[in-house]
Amino acid sequence: MDYRRGIVVYDLAGAARRTGTSPATVKRHVKVLRELGALVWLVHGSKRNIALPGEPYMATATIYGAVIPAVFDEAMGHRLAGSGYEGRVCGVTEAGRERAVAQVRSEARHQGRRRTEQERSSGRRGARVRTVRPVDNVVVDNPSSQAREPHSPGRYHRSPAVQVESGCKDTSRERATCRTAPRPSFKISYNPDGSRRTAGQTQRAIGIIQQVRPRVTWTQRATSRELEVALRPRTDAGWDSQRITEELHSWHLTWRPARPAAYIRARLAQQATAEHQTAAAEVAEGWDEQEASGPLAASSPDLVRSVMHGLAEGLATHSARQAELGLDDLTDHSAAATMAAFLNSGTGAPA
């Protein structure tokens, strides 16, 4: 590690060789240091060859930065300048100053107590001066276990033993030829009248869809088969490619659906629901389409006479209401009487 800049190149093979451990051990220890917050990732290494032509293969190295966790600085009362890897200690806080003063006082008392004990022990005759030696922790510091890898976290699951069934080694011909899995069920399509849809009907509908699909751009994400199923209500009704194309263009889509077939099915379902609701409302109101279209289908003289009769009745009703209100008619003659005279004359009679 470069302690001046606080960076280290992650050399897995070199670290394992220098420490006498396996690469797996080095990886686990580096993982612990990263989780602790003592190492941060500065440069992500890769296997891309950065060597010049003619030189041996050389990959991009992983570079870590040595840092001190922020929790430690807070506990010690350090004041930092900057943040993250660029943070540096620039002073101490009030809590840090009190902690440093208490630590210095504790060390001074400890040194004075130890000096007094040494003086007392040296004043005795034949007293032996105690020497402090490091504690030998054999359980932790075991040189023979340095080359071993640490145990994996969790339980060790052993794979169960393979159970070989007794009997013949090979599969019999009778068992190999029998069908154990059920046959796939194919969906059967039906016409609106309940009859089964034939392959010829599907083929003719696909022929119409193949003419519609190039003309409508937003339908080209779906296949011809999907469009045929979606537009089946129109093809079964006898619509040709031109009429279907005109209807799709009449929707004026300024965007492209991700699933055109599903959008077409939903749009046609909405139209069918609206038509059904309109028909139900007309039946509830007593609307008769033939009776309503009767005057339009009549001949011209009959239509004129019917309109004139309606006008006469309306004018008569209006005059009667005016008389009830006490209002005088501004004209010298009654318009309703004139209209009735015209209808009773030969001019307004039907031919």
Side-chain angles (χ1 to χ4, degrees), residues 6-322:
I7 61 175
V8 57
V9 178
Y10 181 41
D11 183 11
L12 178 60
R17 184 175 59 256
R18 290 190 300 270
T19 57
T21 57
S22 63
T25 302
V26 177
K27 288 181 180 179
R28 291 193 179 101
H29 281 286
V30 171
K31 179 181 178 182
V32 171
L33 292 176
R34 287 180 55 199
E35 293 178 351
L36 179 64
L39 289 180
V40 294
W41 223 332
L42 298 181
V43 178
H44 291 260
S46 65
K47 294 184 179 180
R48 183 173 59 89
N49 188 10
I50 60 174
L52 298 176
E55 295 182 356
Y57 169 78
M58 182 173 58
T60 306
T62 298
I63 300 178
Y64 287 109
V67 294
I68 296 177
V71 179
F72 177 80
D73 291 324
E74 293 177 1
M76 299 299 295
H78 294 165
R79 183 180 289 109
L80 302 180
S83 60
Y85 176 71
E86 301 295 335
R88 296 293 183 269
V89 178
C90 62
V92 294
T93 61
E94 293 297 334
R97 184 178 293 104
E98 294 177 0
R99 186 180 184 281
V101 171
Q103 185 177 1
V104 171
R105 291 177 178 175
S106 176
E107 291 179 357
R109 287 195 301 268
H110 182 68
Q111 290 179 0
R113 188 182 303 109
R114 186 171 55 182
R115 188 180 301 110
T116 304
E117 292 178 356
Q118 290 179 358
E119 292 176 356
R120 291 178 179 178
S121 60
S122 60
R124 299 175 183 177
R125 294 182 180 181
R128 185 177 301 176
V129 179
R130 297 177 58 186
T131 58
V132 180
R133 292 184 300 176
V135 179
D136 186 10
N137 193 343
V138 184
V139 179
V140 178
D141 188 9
N142 188 2
S144 62
S145 63
Q146 292 182 358
R148 301 178 185 176
E149 297 184 12
H151 297 289
S152 301
R155 298 178 59 186
Y156 179 70
H157 300 278
R158 292 185 177 274
S159 58
V162 179
Q163 297 180 359
V164 181
E165 297 181 357
S166 60
C168 299
K169 180 172 69 66
D170 300 327
T171 305
S172 62
R173 184 179 299 274
E174 180 181 359
R175 183 179 178 184
T177 54
C178 67
R179 182 180 295 275
T180 57
R183 293 187 178 183
S185 58
F186 299 96
K187 185 177 180 180
I188 301 176
S189 301
Y190 294 93
N191 295 320
D193 57 356
S195 61
R196 184 171 179 176
R197 190 175 184 84
T198 62
Q201 292 176 334
T202 304
Q203 187 175 2
R204 285 191 298 270
I206 290 179
I208 297 175
I209 299 303
Q210 288 176 350
Q211 299 177 15
V212 175
R213 190 167 178 268
R215 300 177 184 178
V216 184
T217 309
W218 57 268
T219 62
Q220 296 177 3
R221 288 187 177 181
T223 61
S224 300
R225 178 60 177 171
E226 294 175 348
L227 294 177
E228 186 273 330
V229 176
L231 292 170
R232 188 169 291 178
R234 296 294 184 260
T235 55
D236 291 345
W239 288 29
D240 55 356
S241 60
Q242 182 65 27
R243 189 174 179 183
I244 295 176
T245 304
E246 292 176 355
E247 182 184 11
L248 296 180
H249 281 302
S250 65
W251 294 349
H252 302 290
L253 293 184
T254 58
W255 54 282
R256 293 193 175 189
R259 295 184 297 171
Y263 177 77
I264 291 174
R265 286 197 300 268
R267 191 69 179 264
L268 295 181
Q270 292 178 357
Q271 293 181 2
T273 303
E275 293 175 358
H276 177 72
Q277 293 177 355
T278 303
E282 291 177 354
V283 172
E285 294 177 357
W287 176 265
D288 190 356
E289 186 176 0
Q290 295 181 356
E291 183 180 353
S293 61
L296 298 177
S299 59
S300 180
D302 295 339
L303 179 61
V304 172
R305 187 175 180 84
S306 177
V307 172
M308 296 296 286
H309 273 293
L311 290 175
E313 294 177 358
L315 289 174
T317 304
H318 178 69
S319 299
R321 182 167 180 79
Q322 290 291 99

